[in-house]
Amino acid sequence: MSAIVILFLGLGGMALAYFLYSKFIAEKVFRLDSKFRTPAHEFEDGIDFVPTNRYVLWGHHFTSVAGAAPIVGPAIAVIWGWLPAFLWVVFGTIFFAGVHDTGALWASVRNRAKSVGALTGDVVGKRARSLFMVVIFLVLLMVNAVFGVVIAGLLMRFPSAVVPVWGAIAVALVIGQLIYRRIIGLALVSLIGVVALYGLIIIGPSMPLQMPDQVAGLPGNAIWILILFGYAAIASLLPVWVLLQPRDYINGLQLFIGLIILYGALVILNPAMVAPMINDNVPAGTPSIIPLLFVTIACGAISGFHGLVAGGTSSKQLDKETDARLVGYFGAVGEGMLALGAILAATAGFASLTDWSAMYDAFGKGGVNAFVEGGAYIISNGLGLPETTAATLLTVMAALFAGTTMDTGLRLQRYIFQEWGEIYQQQWMKKPAMATLLAVGSCLILAFGAGADGSGGLLIWPLFGTTNQLLAGLTLLVVTVMLVRLGRPMWFTLGPLLFLLVMTVLALLTQLRSFYEAGNYFLLVLDIVVLIASILVAMECAAALKRVRRESATKAEG
């Protein structure tokens, strides 16, 4: 089948959903009110609470939730065939991710910009809050530790990307001043930022910077990981308008231009989908497509990490409540578009089925490498760009989005420690510098606890998909309880959450067996902890939902 058909079906479905379904969700379910005073105005402090232009905030939210996951997950999941991955990305974006992201943002804004974990204590109960906060901490720990490994690996493998990746920070600092000081208009600022960013990408191949294999007794990738966490710690303490907002905004524009380049080359080249529609000849050891498909592709279909960003940073910057439709739902659509691009690059970006099969010779293969190599093949042959330049473009895309996710993830982890300080009356934990030190320290302990190369985060990464999707389901539970209390329609959130909880529990049980058979008792114990936490939180939320419905019925009778 032609890749163009898949492209237009996917993009058309997402566009239609934004203009129609998201409007219905915003007006009839969440009933967004432009006159509601948002926390960004109520608690404005110029650091975390900053009323922000909705397009700039969309850029922050979108690039924070995107990261490398919507590339990695879909580019691995196509091992089962491109059709299941395509259907889950499109329908997951429309009916799951868009509703989840908008709902999490609305719920936080309506509750003084509290995180979804802290909000659980008010909506469900203190026991559920404690369990939920543990799940949230695990997700953030995995994301921050592993994305550091991913970026370091990309910088080691593609030294031509070093200048563009780090140069983007300097561009963002300048852009932040131009936007915040209102020196020039947003349109001109955007043009300057994009031109500067792509100028760096063009000169990157001519100025490759290779980290030595060994520095002070540590591997080169470990040095990159330490540098990345040092940078992320500083970034997490800066006011959001200085670096976080402009970096995310420019990266958001860069991604869309990158996708236009990839999609344009695909239309010109018109490659065939060389991978099977349904792969009946998967490599030995590949797990069952159900339920693993729905946790392998998290970001790009639905992801609990999105709820953390919505209730952690985005809700503190929302200028008007009605902006949640663009920021939340269209942020999810943007990530779906990136996941669609990853599927096409990883299935139509190979010359033959033999080449594709060589890449996908085992479960877990593909990922970022398949996206970069397949996408570079499409761009090079479709537009005539040198393959090195095309590969640099796609590598920078992946590294920049992983970097923005790290920036936001570490700030969110700092918020978690500060919220624990508030909950347990530990004043020292509430201080931003101390909370940041705890966040960075926990990530580095995980990263370097298993060896000097800093890749320790990969040890618990197999549990990311299930833990992340569990978090998404539990977030939808909290939103559903709020809707029932307000007498609003609940089926638009209840349906997705039931599906997610069932698939996540099945996936946890499947992984439990595989960890036991492999003798991986560390992951086995961690899997049991997550499984028990998920069951207990689900029971608490179900009891709260039943209690709220009973109270509503009593009021109606009275």
Side-chain angles (χ1 to χ4, degrees), residues 46-193:
I47 299 175
D48 294 320
F49 291 86
V50 180
T52 303
N53 177 287
R54 63 178 183 158
Y55 297 107
V56 175
L57 182 56
W58 167 83
H60 156 70
H61 181 83
F62 164 51
T63 54
S64 294
V65 301
I71 294 172
V72 175
I76 289 175
V78 294
I79 198 167
W80 289 300
W82 60 260
L83 182 60
F86 169 78
L87 292 176
W88 175 226
V89 162
V90 174
F91 288 105
T93 296
I94 294 171
F95 297 109
F96 287 68
V99 177
H100 169 276
D101 291 20
T102 309
L105 187 53
W106 164 77
S108 180
V109 166
R110 285 284 169 165
N111 289 274
R112 300 162 61 90
K114 288 184 178 180
S115 72
V116 67
L119 182 57
T120 305
D122 299 333
V123 176
V124 181
K126 292 183 178 179
R127 285 179 300 184
R129 178 189 65 191
S130 299
L131 291 167
F132 211 163
M133 295 284 273
V134 171
V135 175
I136 290 171
F137 180 75
L138 282 174
V139 168
L140 289 173
L141 190 64
M142 292 177 192
V143 167
N144 292 333
V146 172
F147 276 21
V149 176
V150 170
I151 300 170
L154 287 170
L155 294 178
M156 289 294 291
R157 183 173 181 181
F158 300 99
S160 61
V162 173
V163 168
V165 167
W166 291 103
I169 297 172
V171 173
L173 289 169
V174 174
I175 294 301
Q177 294 294 325
L178 293 176
I179 293 176
Y180 188 74
R181 309 292 180 188
R182 298 183 180 178
I183 298 174
I184 55 179
L186 184 61
L188 185 55
V189 168
S190 303
L191 180 62
I192 293 171

Side-chain angles (χ1 to χ4, degrees), residues 140-503:
L140 289 173
L141 190 64
M142 292 177 192
V143 167
N144 292 333
V146 172
F147 276 21
V149 176
V150 170
I151 300 170
L154 287 170
L155 294 178
M156 289 294 291
R157 183 173 181 181
F158 300 99
S160 61
V162 173
V163 168
V165 167
W166 291 103
I169 297 172
V171 173
L173 289 169
V174 174
I175 294 301
Q177 294 294 325
L178 293 176
I179 293 176
Y180 188 74
R181 309 292 180 188
R182 298 183 180 178
I183 298 174
I184 55 179
L186 184 61
L188 185 55
V189 168
S190 303
L191 180 62
I192 293 171
V194 169
V195 169
L197 202 56
Y198 274 90
L200 289 170
I201 292 173
I202 292 171
I203 68 174
S206 63
M207 298 178 61
L209 296 178
Q210 180 70 62
M211 179 72 72
D213 291 336
Q214 290 284 330
V215 178
L218 290 174
N221 64 298
I223 298 298
W224 275 129
I225 291 172
L226 291 172
I227 293 172
L228 285 163
F229 273 107
Y231 153 75
I234 296 171
S236 73
L237 290 169
L238 292 174
V240 290
W241 64 268
V242 173
L243 181 58
L244 192 68
Q245 281 182 358
R247 175 169 157 83
D248 292 354
Y249 175 64
I250 292 300
N251 283 346
L253 293 179
Q254 181 260 147
L255 170 67
F256 266 88
I257 293 173
L259 284 178
I260 289 171
I261 292 172
L262 177 61
Y263 290 158
L266 190 142
V267 170
I268 293 171
L269 184 61
N270 190 20
M273 305 288 284
V274 299
M277 180 184 295
I278 304 289
N279 191 7
D280 296 322
N281 190 30
V282 295
T286 301
S288 171
I289 186 173
I290 297 176
L292 267 298
L293 171 69
F294 303 103
V295 297
T296 302
I297 301 179
C299 297
I302 181 171
S303 165
F305 183 73
H306 293 202
L308 301 184
V309 175
T313 55
S314 298
S315 62
K316 295 177 175 64
Q317 303 170 59
L318 200 71
D319 184 31
K320 296 180 180 179
E321 190 178 63
T322 46
D323 293 346
R325 181 188 171 202
L326 176 77
V327 175
Y329 199 100
F330 193 62
V333 168
E335 190 178 60
M337 292 170 63
L338 176 56
L340 177 62
I343 291 172
L344 293 171
T347 54
F350 293 85
S352 67
L353 177 59
T354 302
D355 294 332
W356 181 85
S357 298
M359 171 67 74
Y360 288 87
D361 60 354
F363 182 70
K365 293 293 186 69
V368 174
N369 291 337
F371 171 74
V372 172
E373 292 179 19
Y377 171 86
I378 292 172
I379 293 173
S380 178
N381 287 276
L383 299 179
L385 287 177
E387 197 155 341
T388 303
T389 302
T392 299
L393 168 67
L394 296 174
T395 301
V396 170
M397 280 177 58
L400 287 182
F401 287 112
T404 54
T405 300
M406 260 190 81
D407 289 0
T408 303
L410 201 63
R411 186 179 288 258
L412 291 173
Q413 209 168 353
R414 187 247 291 180
Y415 291 162
I416 291 294
F417 278 110
Q418 289 180 295
E419 286 181 349
W420 275 336
E422 182 73 31
I423 292 169
Y424 300 110
Q425 298 298 308
Q426 299 294 319
Q427 297 299 319
W428 63 277
M429 288 181 68
K430 294 167 63 176
K431 297 179 180 179
M434 182 56 67
T436 299
L437 184 62
L438 290 172
V440 172
S442 60
C443 291
L444 291 179
I445 289 172
L446 176 62
F448 288 93
D453 62 352
S455 63
L458 296 176
L459 291 175
I460 63 172
W461 186 249
L463 277 174
F464 171 75
T466 47
T467 309
N468 189 42
Q469 296 303 66
L470 165 66
L471 181 58
L474 297 179
T475 300
L476 285 169
L477 268 172
V478 173
V479 174
T480 302
V481 172
M482 287 185 61
L483 290 174
V484 172
R485 280 185 172 175
L486 295 170
R488 309 270 181 86
M490 68 173 183
W491 295 107
F492 302 97
T493 56
L494 184 61
L497 83 84
L498 290 176
F499 180 86
L500 274 182
L501 288 180
V502 169
M503 289 299 165

